[in-house]
Amino acid sequence: ISFQIKKGQTLGLVGESGCGKSTIAGILSGKNREFSGDIRIGGVALGDVREDDLMEHVVLVRHNSYLFKGTVRENLQMAKTDATDQEMREVLKKVNLLGFLDTQNGLDTVLLEKAGNLSGGQCQRLVIARALLADAPVYIMDEATSNIDVESEELIMDVIHEMAKTRTVLLISHRLANVVQSDQIYFLKNGEIRECGKHEELMALGGDYCHLYESQSALENYGKEGNV
């Protein structure tokens, strides 16, 4: 596999389960160290980048990113230890979670292990808020909207698109509708990049991306127009 993400670009990485998307995310974020080849960030070899520097500049958000037992404040401060209450409230407002938390105990709302007292959508929105607080130049969103309710998915995608205006974003998704606005899309199959281009170009190509997009769209629209 060979590809380049330019500064300020939103790149979509898509394909069916098992094609290698999350493996790439793990490598670029320093989680997977066993790889061959040449990976460079800003011209510097990945192996020469200190782990703490990498974590400051590249933030990975997975669909199952961990939330710790403790308060909302403590979980947010993992991204920025000196964050002010105002900064934390602002990122919570961006993900539409502040109103709910203010009906609880605000920033001092206590979370159970793995935030078991929040819904799946609320958990993921809190994870996104924490990522926003880190204010990194590069974000890797690995299935960040997977397994959550439609309302939360739409809200998170709005936040990601807003984030992408000022940052570099690698957007990984099995749902192709989420990457339509990307500057460039790579379609993976069996660990290889089979197609690349903008959404319109890939649709015109009529290949694997086009077929998967059309089948997903048909499935999502089933029943919406009197098909049931």
Side-chain angles (χ1 to χ4, degrees), residues 69-155:
K69 184 177 180 180
T71 64
V72 168
R73 184 194 307 275
E74 289 166 343
N75 272 272
L76 290 175
Q77 286 176 332
M78 289 180 60
K80 186 179 181 182
T81 55
D82 60 348
T84 65
D85 283 12
Q86 183 60 31
E87 287 174 320
M88 288 186 277
R89 289 180 65 83
E90 282 178 6
V91 293
L92 289 170
K93 185 176 181 180
K94 285 182 180 179
V95 299
N96 198 27
L97 201 54
L98 183 61
F100 166 75
L101 289 173
D102 277 346
T103 67
Q104 306 298 304
N105 200 21
L107 292 170
D108 295 313
T109 300
V110 175
L111 303 180
L112 301 178
E113 190 73 30
K114 298 182 181 178
N117 52 327
L118 298 183
S119 70
Q122 288 171 331
C123 285
Q124 195 61 2
R125 282 185 273 161
L126 182 53
V127 165
I128 299 290
R130 184 171 64 189
L132 287 172
L133 197 58
D135 196 23
V138 180
Y139 282 86
I140 302 175
M141 315 301 286
D142 185 8
E143 300 287 8
T145 62
S146 180
N147 301 323
I148 58 175
D149 59 278
V150 175
E151 182 183 351
S152 289
E153 179 178 24
E154 290 176 353
L155 192 148

Coordinates of all heavy atoms in Angstrom, one line a residue, residues 69-155:
K69 N -13.5 5.0 34.6 CA -14.4 5.3 35.8 C -13.8 6.5 36.5 O -12.7 6.7 36.7 CB -14.3 4.1 36.7 CG -15.2 4.2 37.9 CD -15.1 2.9 38.8 CE -16.0 3.0 40.0 NZ -15.9 1.8 40.8
G70 N -14.7 7.5 36.8 CA -14.4 8.7 37.4 C -15.3 9.8 36.9 O -16.4 9.5 36.4
T71 N -14.9 11.1 36.9 CA -15.8 12.1 36.5 C -15.6 12.5 35.0 O -14.5 12.1 34.4 CB -15.5 13.4 37.3 OG1 -14.2 13.9 37.1 CG2 -15.7 13.2 38.8
V72 N -16.5 13.2 34.5 CA -16.4 13.7 33.1 C -15.2 14.6 33.0 O -14.4 14.5 32.1 CB -17.7 14.5 32.7 CG1 -17.4 15.2 31.4 CG2 -18.8 13.5 32.5
R73 N -15.0 15.4 34.0 CA -13.8 16.3 34.1 C -12.5 15.5 33.9 O -11.6 15.9 33.2 CB -13.8 17.1 35.4 CG -12.7 18.1 35.5 CD -12.6 18.6 36.9 NE -13.8 19.1 37.4 CZ -14.3 20.3 37.3 NH1 -13.6 21.2 36.6 NH2 -15.5 20.7 37.8
E74 N -12.4 14.5 34.7 CA -11.1 13.7 34.7 C -10.9 13.0 33.4 O -9.7 12.9 32.9 CB -11.2 12.6 35.9 CG -11.1 13.2 37.2 CD -11.5 12.2 38.3 OE1 -12.2 11.2 38.0 OE2 -11.1 12.5 39.5
N75 N -12.0 12.5 32.7 CA -11.8 11.9 31.4 C -11.4 12.9 30.4 O -10.5 12.6 29.5 CB -13.1 11.2 31.0 CG -13.2 9.8 31.5 OD1 -12.8 8.9 30.8 ND2 -13.8 9.6 32.7
L76 N -11.9 14.1 30.4 CA -11.6 15.2 29.5 C -10.1 15.7 29.7 O -9.4 15.9 28.8 CB -12.5 16.4 29.6 CG -13.9 16.1 29.1 CD1 -14.8 17.4 29.3 CD2 -13.9 15.8 27.6
Q77 N -9.7 15.7 31.0 CA -8.4 16.2 31.3 C -7.3 15.3 30.8 O -6.1 15.7 30.8 CB -8.3 16.5 32.8 CG -9.0 17.8 33.2 CD -9.0 18.1 34.7 OE1 -8.9 17.2 35.5 NE2 -9.1 19.3 35.1
M78 N -7.6 14.1 30.4 CA -6.6 13.2 29.9 C -6.1 13.7 28.6 O -4.9 13.5 28.2 CB -7.3 11.8 29.6 CG -7.6 11.0 30.8 SD -8.3 9.4 30.4 CE -7.0 8.7 29.4
A79 N -6.9 14.5 27.9 CA -6.5 15.1 26.6 C -5.7 16.4 26.8 O -4.8 16.8 26.1 CB -7.7 15.4 25.7
K80 N -6.1 17.1 27.9 CA -5.4 18.4 28.2 C -5.5 18.6 29.7 O -6.5 19.0 30.2 CB -6.1 19.6 27.5 CG -5.4 20.9 27.6 CD -6.1 22.0 26.8 CE -5.3 23.3 27.0 NZ -6.0 24.4 26.3
T81 N -4.4 18.4 30.4 CA -4.4 18.4 31.9 C -4.8 19.7 32.5 O -5.3 19.8 33.6 CB -3.0 17.9 32.4 OG1 -2.0 18.8 31.8 CG2 -2.7 16.5 32.0
D82 N -4.4 20.8 31.8 CA -4.7 22.1 32.3 C -5.9 22.8 31.7 O -6.1 24.0 31.7 CB -3.4 23.0 32.1 CG -3.1 23.2 30.7 OD1 -3.6 22.5 29.8 OD2 -2.3 24.1 30.3
A83 N -6.8 22.0 31.1 CA -8.0 22.6 30.5 C -8.9 23.3 31.5 O -9.1 22.8 32.6 CB -8.8 21.4 29.8
T84 N -9.4 24.4 31.1 CA -10.2 25.2 32.0 C -11.7 24.6 31.9 O -12.0 23.9 30.9 CB -10.3 26.7 31.6 OG1 -10.9 26.8 30.3 CG2 -8.9 27.3 31.6
D85 N -12.5 25.0 32.9 CA -13.9 24.5 32.9 C -14.6 25.0 31.6 O -15.3 24.3 31.0 CB -14.6 25.0 34.1 CG -14.3 24.2 35.3 OD1 -13.3 23.4 35.3 OD2 -15.0 24.4 36.4
Q86 N -14.2 26.3 31.2 CA -14.8 26.9 30.0 C -14.5 26.1 28.8 O -15.3 25.8 27.9 CB -14.4 28.3 29.9 CG -15.1 29.1 28.7 CD -16.6 29.1 28.8 OE1 -17.1 29.2 29.9 NE2 -17.2 29.1 27.7
E87 N -13.2 25.7 28.7 CA -12.8 24.9 27.5 C -13.5 23.6 27.4 O -13.9 23.2 26.3 CB -11.3 24.7 27.5 CG -10.4 25.9 27.2 CD -9.0 25.7 27.4 OE1 -8.6 25.0 28.4 OE2 -8.2 26.2 26.6
M88 N -13.6 23.0 28.6 CA -14.3 21.7 28.6 C -15.8 21.8 28.3 O -16.4 21.0 27.6 CB -14.1 21.0 30.0 CG -12.6 20.5 30.2 SD -12.4 19.6 31.7 CE -12.2 20.9 32.9
R89 N -16.4 22.8 28.8 CA -17.8 23.0 28.5 C -18.0 23.4 27.0 O -19.0 22.9 26.4 CB -18.4 24.2 29.4 CG -18.5 23.8 30.9 CD -19.0 24.9 31.7 NE -20.4 25.3 31.4 CZ -21.5 24.6 31.8 NH1 -21.3 23.6 32.6 NH2 -22.7 25.0 31.5
E90 N -17.1 24.0 26.4 CA -17.2 24.4 25.0 C -17.2 23.2 24.1 O -18.0 23.0 23.2 CB -16.1 25.4 24.6 CG -16.4 26.8 25.0 CD -15.2 27.7 24.7 OE1 -14.3 27.3 24.0 OE2 -15.3 28.9 25.1
V91 N -16.3 22.2 24.4 CA -16.2 21.0 23.5 C -17.4 20.1 23.8 O -17.9 19.4 22.9 CB -14.9 20.2 23.8 CG1 -13.7 21.0 23.2 CG2 -14.7 19.8 25.2
L92 N -17.9 20.1 25.0 CA -19.1 19.3 25.3 C -20.3 19.9 24.6 O -21.2 19.2 24.1 CB -19.4 19.3 26.8 CG -18.4 18.4 27.7 CD1 -18.6 18.7 29.1 CD2 -18.5 17.0 27.3
K93 N -20.3 21.2 24.5 CA -21.4 21.9 23.8 C -21.4 21.6 22.3 O -22.4 21.3 21.6 CB -21.3 23.4 24.0 CG -22.5 24.2 23.4 CD -22.4 25.7 23.7 CE -23.6 26.5 23.1 NZ -23.5 27.9 23.4
K94 N -20.2 21.5 21.7 CA -20.0 21.2 20.3 C -20.6 19.8 19.9 O -21.0 19.6 18.8 CB -18.5 21.2 19.9 CG -18.0 22.7 19.8 CD -16.6 22.7 19.3 CE -16.0 24.1 19.2 NZ -14.6 24.1 18.8
V95 N -20.5 18.8 20.9 CA -21.0 17.5 20.6 C -22.4 17.3 21.2 O -22.9 16.2 21.3 CB -20.0 16.4 21.2 CG1 -18.7 16.5 20.5 CG2 -19.9 16.5 22.7
N96 N -23.0 18.4 21.6 CA -24.4 18.4 22.1 C -24.6 17.5 23.3 O -25.5 16.7 23.4 CB -25.4 17.9 21.0 CG -26.8 18.3 21.3 OD1 -27.1 19.3 22.0 ND2 -27.8 17.5 20.8
L97 N -23.6 17.6 24.2 CA -23.7 16.8 25.5 C -23.8 17.6 26.7 O -24.1 17.1 27.8 CB -22.4 15.9 25.5 CG -22.4 14.6 26.4 CD1 -23.6 13.7 26.0 CD2 -21.1 13.9 26.3
L98 N -23.5 18.9 26.6 CA -23.5 19.8 27.7 C -24.8 19.9 28.4 O -24.9 19.9 29.6 CB -23.0 21.2 27.3 CG -22.8 22.2 28.5 CD1 -21.8 21.7 29.5 CD2 -22.4 23.6 27.9
G99 N -25.9 20.0 27.6 CA -27.2 20.2 28.2 C -27.6 19.0 29.1 O -28.1 19.2 30.2
F100 N -27.3 17.8 28.6 CA -27.6 16.6 29.3 C -26.8 16.6 30.6 O -27.3 16.3 31.7 CB -27.3 15.3 28.5 CG -27.3 14.1 29.4 CD1 -28.4 13.5 29.8 CD2 -26.0 13.5 29.7 CE1 -28.4 12.4 30.6 CE2 -26.0 12.3 30.5 CZ -27.2 11.8 30.9
L101 N -25.5 16.8 30.5 CA -24.6 16.7 31.7 C -25.0 17.8 32.8 O -24.9 17.5 34.0 CB -23.1 16.9 31.3 CG -22.6 15.7 30.5 CD1 -21.2 16.0 30.0 CD2 -22.5 14.4 31.4
D102 N -25.5 18.9 32.3 CA -25.9 20.0 33.3 C -27.2 19.6 34.0 O -27.5 20.1 35.1 CB -26.1 21.3 32.5 CG -24.8 22.1 32.3 OD1 -23.8 21.7 33.0 OD2 -24.8 23.0 31.5
T103 N -27.9 18.6 33.5 CA -29.0 18.1 34.3 C -28.6 17.0 35.3 O -29.3 16.6 36.2 CB -30.1 17.4 33.4 OG1 -29.5 16.2 32.8 CG2 -30.5 18.3 32.3
Q104 N -27.3 16.6 35.2 CA -26.7 15.7 36.1 C -25.9 16.5 37.1 O -26.4 17.2 37.9 CB -25.8 14.6 35.4 CG -26.6 13.9 34.3 CD -27.8 13.1 34.7 OE1 -27.6 12.2 35.6 NE2 -28.9 13.4 34.2
N105 N -24.6 16.4 37.0 CA -23.7 17.1 37.9 C -22.6 17.9 37.1 O -21.5 18.0 37.6 CB -23.1 16.2 38.9 CG -22.6 16.9 40.2 OD1 -23.0 18.1 40.4 ND2 -21.7 16.3 40.9
G106 N -22.9 18.2 35.9 CA -22.0 19.0 35.1 C -20.7 18.2 34.8 O -20.7 17.0 34.6
L107 N -19.6 18.9 34.9 CA -18.3 18.3 34.7 C -17.9 17.3 35.8 O -17.1 16.4 35.6 CB -17.2 19.4 34.7 CG -17.2 20.4 33.5 CD1 -16.2 21.5 33.7 CD2 -16.9 19.6 32.2
D108 N -18.6 17.4 36.9 CA -18.3 16.5 38.0 C -19.3 15.3 38.0 O -19.4 14.5 38.9 CB -18.5 17.2 39.3 CG -17.4 18.3 39.5 OD1 -16.2 17.9 39.2 OD2 -17.7 19.4 39.8
T109 N -20.0 15.1 36.9 CA -20.9 13.9 36.7 C -20.0 12.7 36.8 O -18.9 12.6 36.1 CB -21.6 13.9 35.3 OG1 -22.4 15.1 35.3 CG2 -22.5 12.7 35.2
V110 N -20.3 11.7 37.6 CA -19.5 10.5 37.8 C -19.9 9.4 36.7 O -21.1 9.2 36.4 CB -19.7 9.9 39.2 CG1 -19.0 8.6 39.3 CG2 -19.3 10.9 40.2
L111 N -18.9 8.9 36.1 CA -19.0 7.8 35.1 C -18.7 6.5 35.7 O -17.7 6.3 36.5 CB -18.1 8.0 33.9 CG -18.3 9.4 33.1 CD1 -17.3 9.4 32.0 CD2 -19.7 9.6 32.7
L112 N -19.5 5.5 35.4 CA -19.2 4.1 35.9 C -18.1 3.5 35.0 O -17.7 4.2 34.0 CB -20.4 3.2 35.8 CG -21.6 3.7 36.6 CD1 -22.8 2.7 36.4 CD2 -21.3 3.7 38.1
E113 N -17.6 2.4 35.3 CA -16.6 1.7 34.4 C -17.1 1.6 33.0 O -18.2 1.3 32.7 CB -16.3 0.3 34.9 CG -15.1 -0.4 34.3 CD -13.8 0.2 34.7 OE1 -13.7 0.7 35.9 OE2 -12.8 0.2 33.9
K114 N -16.2 2.1 32.0 CA -16.6 2.1 30.6 C -17.8 3.0 30.3 O -18.5 2.8 29.4 CB -16.8 0.7 30.0 CG -15.6 -0.2 30.1 CD -15.8 -1.5 29.5 CE -14.6 -2.4 29.6 NZ -14.9 -3.8 29.0
A115 N -18.0 4.0 31.2 CA -19.2 4.9 31.1 C -20.5 4.1 30.9 O -21.3 4.5 30.1 CB -18.9 5.9 30.0
G116 N -20.6 3.1 31.7 CA -21.8 2.2 31.6 C -23.1 2.9 31.9 O -24.2 2.4 31.6
N117 N -23.1 4.1 32.5 CA -24.3 4.8 32.8 C -24.7 5.8 31.7 O -25.6 6.6 31.8 CB -24.2 5.6 34.2 CG -22.9 6.4 34.3 OD1 -21.9 6.1 33.7 ND2 -23.0 7.5 35.0
L118 N -23.9 5.8 30.6 CA -24.3 6.6 29.4 C -24.7 5.7 28.3 O -24.3 4.6 28.2 CB -23.1 7.5 28.9 CG -22.5 8.5 29.9 CD1 -21.3 9.3 29.2 CD2 -23.5 9.5 30.4
S119 N -25.5 6.3 27.3 CA -25.8 5.5 26.1 C -24.6 5.4 25.2 O -23.6 6.1 25.4 CB -27.0 6.2 25.4 OG -26.5 7.4 24.8
G120 N -24.7 4.5 24.2 CA -23.6 4.4 23.3 C -23.3 5.7 22.5 O -22.1 6.0 22.4
G121 N -24.4 6.4 22.1 CA -24.1 7.7 21.4 C -23.5 8.7 22.3 O -22.7 9.5 21.9
Q122 N -24.0 8.8 23.6 CA -23.4 9.7 24.6 C -21.9 9.4 24.8 O -21.1 10.3 24.9 CB -24.2 9.7 25.9 CG -25.6 10.3 25.7 CD -26.4 10.1 27.0 OE1 -26.3 9.1 27.7 NE2 -27.3 11.0 27.3
C123 N -21.6 8.1 24.9 CA -20.2 7.7 25.2 C -19.3 8.2 24.0 O -18.2 8.8 24.2 CB -20.1 6.2 25.3 SG -20.6 5.5 26.8
Q124 N -19.8 8.0 22.8 CA -18.9 8.4 21.6 C -18.8 9.9 21.5 O -17.8 10.4 21.1 CB -19.5 7.7 20.4 CG -18.6 7.7 19.2 CD -17.3 7.0 19.4 OE1 -17.1 6.4 20.5 NE2 -16.4 7.0 18.5
R125 N -19.9 10.6 21.8 CA -19.8 12.1 21.8 C -18.8 12.6 22.8 O -18.1 13.6 22.6 CB -21.2 12.7 22.0 CG -22.1 12.6 20.7 CD -23.4 13.3 20.8 NE -24.4 12.4 21.4 CZ -25.5 12.9 22.0 NH1 -25.7 14.1 22.1 NH2 -26.4 12.0 22.4
L126 N -18.8 11.9 24.0 CA -17.8 12.3 25.0 C -16.4 12.1 24.5 O -15.5 12.9 24.8 CB -18.1 11.6 26.3 CG -17.2 12.0 27.5 CD1 -17.1 13.5 27.8 CD2 -17.7 11.2 28.8
V127 N -16.2 10.9 23.9 CA -14.9 10.6 23.3 C -14.5 11.7 22.3 O -13.3 12.1 22.2 CB -14.9 9.2 22.6 CG1 -13.7 9.0 21.8 CG2 -15.0 8.1 23.7
I128 N -15.4 12.1 21.4 CA -15.1 13.1 20.4 C -14.8 14.4 21.1 O -13.9 15.2 20.7 CB -16.3 13.3 19.5 CG1 -16.6 12.0 18.7 CG2 -16.0 14.5 18.5 CD1 -15.6 11.6 17.7
A129 N -15.5 14.8 22.2 CA -15.2 16.0 22.9 C -13.8 16.0 23.5 O -13.1 17.0 23.4 CB -16.2 16.2 24.1
R130 N -13.4 14.8 24.0 CA -12.0 14.7 24.5 C -11.0 14.9 23.4 O -10.0 15.5 23.6 CB -11.9 13.3 25.2 CG -10.6 13.1 25.9 CD -10.6 11.8 26.7 NE -10.7 10.6 25.9 CZ -10.9 9.4 26.3 NH1 -11.0 9.2 27.6 NH2 -11.1 8.4 25.5
A131 N -11.3 14.3 22.2 CA -10.4 14.5 21.1 C -10.3 15.9 20.7 O -9.2 16.4 20.4 CB -10.9 13.6 20.0
L132 N -11.4 16.6 20.6 CA -11.4 18.0 20.3 C -10.6 18.9 21.2 O -9.9 19.8 20.8 CB -12.8 18.6 20.2 CG -13.7 18.1 19.1 CD1 -15.2 18.6 19.3 CD2 -13.2 18.7 17.8
L133 N -10.6 18.5 22.5 CA -9.9 19.3 23.5 C -8.4 19.1 23.3 O -7.6 20.0 23.6 CB -10.3 18.7 24.9 CG -9.9 19.6 26.1 CD1 -10.6 21.0 26.0 CD2 -10.4 18.9 27.4
A134 N -7.9 18.0 22.7 CA -6.5 17.8 22.5 C -6.0 18.8 21.4 O -4.8 19.1 21.4 CB -6.3 16.4 22.0
D135 N -6.9 19.2 20.5 CA -6.6 20.2 19.5 C -5.3 19.8 18.7 O -4.4 20.6 18.6 CB -6.4 21.6 20.2 CG -6.4 22.7 19.1 OD1 -7.0 22.5 18.1 OD2 -5.8 23.8 19.4
A136 N -5.3 18.6 18.2 CA -4.1 18.1 17.4 C -4.3 18.5 16.0 O -5.4 18.8 15.5 CB -4.1 16.6 17.6
P137 N -3.2 18.5 15.2 CA -3.3 18.9 13.8 C -3.8 17.7 12.9 O -4.2 17.9 11.8 CB -1.8 19.2 13.4 CG -1.0 18.5 14.4 CD -1.8 18.5 15.7
V138 N -3.6 16.5 13.4 CA -4.1 15.3 12.6 C -5.0 14.4 13.5 O -4.7 14.1 14.6 CB -2.8 14.5 12.2 CG1 -3.3 13.3 11.4 CG2 -1.8 15.3 11.4
Y139 N -6.1 14.1 12.9 CA -7.1 13.2 13.5 C -7.3 12.0 12.6 O -7.5 12.1 11.4 CB -8.4 13.9 13.8 CG -8.4 14.8 15.0 CD1 -7.9 16.1 14.8 CD2 -8.7 14.4 16.2 CE1 -7.8 17.0 15.9 CE2 -8.7 15.3 17.3 CZ -8.2 16.6 17.1 OH -8.2 17.4 18.2
I140 N -7.3 10.8 13.3 CA -7.7 9.5 12.6 C -9.0 9.1 13.2 O -9.0 8.7 14.4 CB -6.6 8.5 12.7 CG1 -5.3 9.0 12.2 CG2 -7.0 7.2 12.0 CD1 -4.1 8.0 12.4
M141 N -10.1 9.1 12.5 CA -11.4 8.7 13.0 C -11.7 7.3 12.4 O -12.0 7.1 11.3 CB -12.4 9.7 12.5 CG -12.1 11.2 12.6 SD -11.7 11.7 14.3 CE -13.3 11.7 15.1
D142 N -11.4 6.3 13.3 CA -11.6 4.9 12.9 C -13.0 4.4 13.3 O -13.2 4.0 14.4 CB -10.5 4.1 13.5 CG -10.5 2.6 13.0 OD1 -11.3 2.3 12.1 OD2 -9.8 1.8 13.6
E143 N -13.9 4.4 12.3 CA -15.3 3.9 12.6 C -15.9 4.7 13.8 O -16.5 4.1 14.6 CB -15.3 2.4 12.8 CG -14.8 1.6 11.6 CD -15.7 1.6 10.4 OE1 -16.7 2.3 10.4 OE2 -15.5 0.8 9.5
A144 N -15.6 6.0 13.8 CA -16.0 6.8 15.0 C -17.5 6.9 15.2 O -18.0 7.3 16.2 CB -15.5 8.2 14.8
T145 N -18.3 6.5 14.1 CA -19.8 6.6 14.2 C -20.4 5.2 14.2 O -21.6 5.1 13.9 CB -20.4 7.5 13.1 OG1 -20.1 6.9 11.8 CG2 -19.8 8.9 13.1
S146 N -19.6 4.2 14.4 CA -20.1 2.8 14.3 C -20.9 2.5 15.6 O -20.6 2.8 16.7 CB -19.0 1.8 14.2 OG -19.4 0.5 14.1
N147 N -22.0 1.7 15.3 CA -22.8 1.2 16.4 C -23.5 2.2 17.4 O -23.5 2.0 18.6 CB -22.0 0.2 17.3 CG -21.5 -1.0 16.4 OD1 -22.1 -1.5 15.5 ND2 -20.2 -1.4 16.7
I148 N -23.8 3.4 16.8 CA -24.5 4.4 17.6 C -25.8 4.8 16.9 O -26.0 4.4 15.7 CB -23.7 5.6 17.9 CG1 -23.2 6.3 16.6 CG2 -22.5 5.2 18.8 CD1 -22.4 7.5 16.8
D149 N -26.7 5.5 17.6 CA -27.9 5.9 17.0 C -27.7 6.9 15.9 O -26.7 7.6 15.8 CB -28.8 6.5 18.1 CG -28.2 7.7 18.8 OD1 -27.4 7.5 19.7 OD2 -28.5 8.9 18.4
V150 N -28.7 7.0 15.0 CA -28.6 7.9 13.8 C -28.4 9.3 14.2 O -27.6 10.0 13.5 CB -29.9 7.7 13.0 CG1 -29.9 8.7 11.8 CG2 -30.1 6.3 12.5
E151 N -29.1 9.8 15.2 CA -29.0 11.2 15.6 C -27.5 11.5 16.0 O -27.0 12.6 15.6 CB -29.9 11.5 16.8 CG -29.9 13.0 17.2 CD -30.8 13.3 18.4 OE1 -31.6 12.4 18.8 OE2 -30.7 14.4 18.9
S152 N -27.0 10.7 16.8 CA -25.6 10.9 17.3 C -24.6 10.8 16.1 O -23.6 11.5 16.0 CB -25.2 9.8 18.3 OG -25.8 10.1 19.6
E153 N -24.9 9.8 15.2 CA -24.0 9.7 14.0 C -24.0 11.0 13.2 O -22.9 11.5 12.8 CB -24.5 8.5 13.1 CG -23.6 8.3 11.9 CD -24.0 7.2 11.0 OE1 -25.2 6.7 11.1 OE2 -23.2 6.7 10.3
E154 N -25.2 11.5 12.9 CA -25.3 12.8 12.1 C -24.6 13.9 12.8 O -23.8 14.7 12.2 CB -26.7 13.1 11.9 CG -27.4 12.1 10.9 CD -28.9 12.5 10.8 OE1 -29.4 13.3 11.5 OE2 -29.6 11.8 9.9
L155 N -24.7 14.0 14.1 CA -24.1 15.1 14.9 C -22.6 14.9 14.9 O -21.8 15.9 14.6 CB -24.6 15.0 16.3 CG -24.3 16.2 17.2 CD1 -25.4 16.5 18.2 CD2 -22.9 16.1 17.9

